[in-house]
Amino acid sequence: NNELGLPPWGSASLLTASPDARHLPPDTGAEIAFVGRSNAGKSTAINMITGIPNLCRVSKTPGRTQTLNFFQLGSAASKRLVDLPGYGHAVVSKSVSANWMTSMRQYIWVRRSLAGLVLLMDARHPLKESDLEVLDFARGEGMRLHVLLTKADKLSQAEAAETLRWVRFHVLGIDMATGATAPIGPAPPGATVLRPSLPGANWTVQLFSAVAPVGVREARARIIEILDKELVRAEPDHDASARAAGLHPLRALCASRRRASGGDLERGARVDDGGDAHVL
């Protein structure tokens, strides 16, 4: 299949499954983390991108990923993909769900080798409130980010094109077709935007389907680009707006601690988060 081809890194294998952010593999090399709602198809996407059908366990029941799963690309562990537990829709207790969220927030905050995020959204229902929180967090941390609009095969060609254009506008702040920065009209069916997203640097958006397949080569190329870039983030923008700080108590806490320490608080320092922030 010309769309699939062979991944440039060759093999991929499970390196470790960590129950929480206290049991992570060595923080060296570079890794990119896959995040998204529990029904967005993260595990299926990783299987397609790596070219190994059973690398990630795929379940018909959303929320089966309960650990931070690290996969090494190639024979060495210097480049990795990370499958994080999904948010929303998981059929688990509130306490278990809260533990997952805490682990993900701690992982993203302490992980120095984290080169960027892949945010997966069902193309039929993009930009839910929880997805917008991920975008806000990634922007505040100056992170590289790539959006996969999964299950694009469920849309007609015209619907998929309009959804891609619309999501790109709300994520990137510009209409890629015209260059316009003015609003481009109402949301396509199924999409939800309760508030605008703020664009971030080094962000990209694409359609993706594991069934068709669509966008596999494009996703691989973007992942390689992110992993190969120097691990230097843009200047964090914690004080960009009171709105963002108000939505994310964890970010506000981190910003206040940085200011209190004269800006010397390392990103790799662990944050003792006992609040109810829903960042990731």
Side-chain angles (χ1 to χ4, degrees), residues 160-171:
E162 179 60 22
T163 297
L164 176 62
R165 176 172 176 248
W166 189 82
V167 172
R168 276 179 170 167
F169 175 80
H170 281 275
V171 170

Side-chain angles (χ1 to χ4, degrees), residues 178-221:
T178 65
T181 57
I184 61 174
T192 302
V193 169
L194 303 179
R195 55 184 171 79
S197 173
L198 298 175
N202 302 310
W203 288 8
T204 44
V205 184
Q206 70 158 100
L207 294 169
F208 186 88
S209 170
V211 175
V214 172
V216 177
R217 285 180 178 271
E218 183 180 353
R220 288 172 178 168

